[in-house]
Amino acid sequence: ASLLLRVLVHSLTVDTLALAKMKLALAALFAGSAAAFAPQDAGRAATSLNIGTPGSGWGATLGPSPQGSNVGDQQRILGQTRRTWQFPDINQELVEVDMTSDGRPMYADIQLWIGPDWTPMTMKTYSYDGYKRPLKCIIGTRNKQATIEVKNTGSYELPITCSATYAKPPFSDLRNELPGKVEGAYVEGGGAVHSVTFDPTVEQAQILLKTDLRQLNAKVEVLNAPNNYKQTFEIFTNNGVLNSLYVVVDTPQASNTVRVRNIAPLEFPFRAYISEV
């Protein structure tokens, strides 16, 4: 009986040691695997997706920021989050919205809020590279107390930097001066298309879409090759005069074409004014 007991104790001891060695081996394996996926800061290559801190050139606030930002504040907006700017001055009508990124794509929705439950204008924007092709646009507040909301509809890894302020000359004058400089193209509703191709020397283009008080529902596409979208804007407003679409886009590469499409029904045409800045 004593011999049998010794054999059992020895067997248990051997099994315990084997199990302990197995656990140590597994722990070392998992630690090595985790280290392989840990971010390596040393020797990180400089690419278009890693060109600096988002908004560093704008002096943006990179820390936590309030939902209701002051006029002119520059805010970093992470993916699937939003920021709002309050515009209480009824004597000023035009708001300038600027948006950029650190070279990554930009996906955003811009809305104009008037009152507790009225959204007279919405605009969806996309840019494949927010550093080379940022957004600059003018939004009308209809001389009312208004709020501008910007929502980053991209993923968490695609932050944007945005600011909103009352527009000042000369940028505030461009929207009113453009119809006197170029002839507007009449674009029928129901899917009609109008396009303008720019010379390679053009660095910026301006686009104005407006109606005769009727609704405006249109899509603007900035192309760098056949159907190669670099930027898109899609707007809806119930009044294409008070909230006409005015955007300025950069054209850093050759062969840029601006194409506008009327996605409203046939009875809602608009005029498109497209020119270099």
Side-chain angles (χ1 to χ4, degrees):
S2 177
L3 180 60
L4 179 60
L5 181 59
R6 289 179 181 179
V7 170
L8 289 175
V9 171
H10 177 73
S11 177
L12 291 174
T13 303
V14 172
D15 291 343
T16 302
L17 290 174
L19 181 61
K21 290 180 180 180
M22 184 180 297
K23 288 182 177 180
L24 289 174
L26 289 175
L29 177 62
F30 287 128
S33 300
F37 290 96
Q40 303 295 327
D41 293 332
R44 187 175 182 183
T47 65
S48 59
L49 299 182
N50 178 31
I51 59 175
T53 304
S56 58
W58 290 32
T61 302
L62 299 183
S65 55
Q67 287 290 335
S69 306
N70 295 323
V71 173
D73 280 355
Q74 297 166 350
Q75 301 292 336
R76 185 183 183 192
I77 309 176
L78 299 178
Q80 300 302 314
T81 63
R82 68 187 69 199
R83 290 290 182 267
T84 59
W85 287 260
Q86 313 291 334
F87 295 90
D89 190 352
I90 62 174
N91 295 315
Q92 299 193 62
E93 195 264 334
L94 298 180
V95 170
E96 174 184 342
V97 178
D98 298 274
M99 191 184 306
T100 186
S101 75
D102 64 344
R104 306 185 189 194
M106 292 194 309
Y107 300 86
D109 286 352
I110 303 174
Q111 293 188 355
L112 169 67
W113 298 347
I114 298 178
D117 57 358
W118 186 30
T119 307
M121 190 223 68
T122 62
M123 183 169 68
K124 298 180 180 180
T125 70
Y126 161 76
S127 174
Y128 92 107
D129 185 335
Y131 184 80
K132 293 181 179 179
R133 295 178 182 267
L135 166 70
K136 182 185 286 288
C137 69
I138 284 182
I139 297 174
T141 64
R142 308 191 181 196
N143 291 108
K144 300 182 184 296
Q145 295 184 358
T147 298
I148 297 294
E149 184 222 39
V150 177
K151 179 181 179 182
N152 186 342
T153 57
S155 61
Y156 183 83
E157 298 82 5
L158 302 177
I160 61 177
T161 301
C162 186
S163 69
T165 185
Y166 285 113
K168 298 179 177 61
F171 186 61
S172 60
D173 300 328
L174 294 177
R175 188 184 74 163
N176 297 327
E177 294 174 353
L178 184 57
K181 293 181 178 180
V182 298
E183 183 178 356
Y186 186 80
V187 185
E188 290 278 4
V193 175
H194 172 67
S195 62
V196 175
T197 300
F198 289 96
D199 189 86
T201 59
V202 175
E203 297 181 352
Q204 283 188 318
Q206 54 184 337
I207 304 142
L208 171 64
L209 307 182
K210 63 187 303 183
T211 68
D212 55 354
L213 295 177
R214 285 179 281 187
Q215 77 173 36
L216 172 64
N217 192 4
K219 187 172 184 178
V220 179
E221 301 162 334
V222 182
L223 311 174
N224 188 238
N227 294 320
N228 184 9
Y229 306 102
K230 298 300 184 181
Q231 277 183 287
T232 63
F233 311 92
E234 184 175 331
I235 184 173
F236 174 81
T237 176
N238 68 335
N239 189 318
V241 173
L242 299 179
N243 285 117
S244 58
L245 173 67
Y246 179 80
V247 294
V248 174
V249 297
D250 289 0
T251 55
Q253 298 167 306
S255 237
N256 287 277
T257 298
V258 174
R259 181 169 66 189
V260 297
R261 185 188 308 273
N262 192 338
I263 56 178
L266 185 64
E267 58 268 25
F268 297 106
F270 64 76
R271 287 198 174 271
Y273 303 85
I274 305 173
S275 170
E276 63 181 277
V277 176

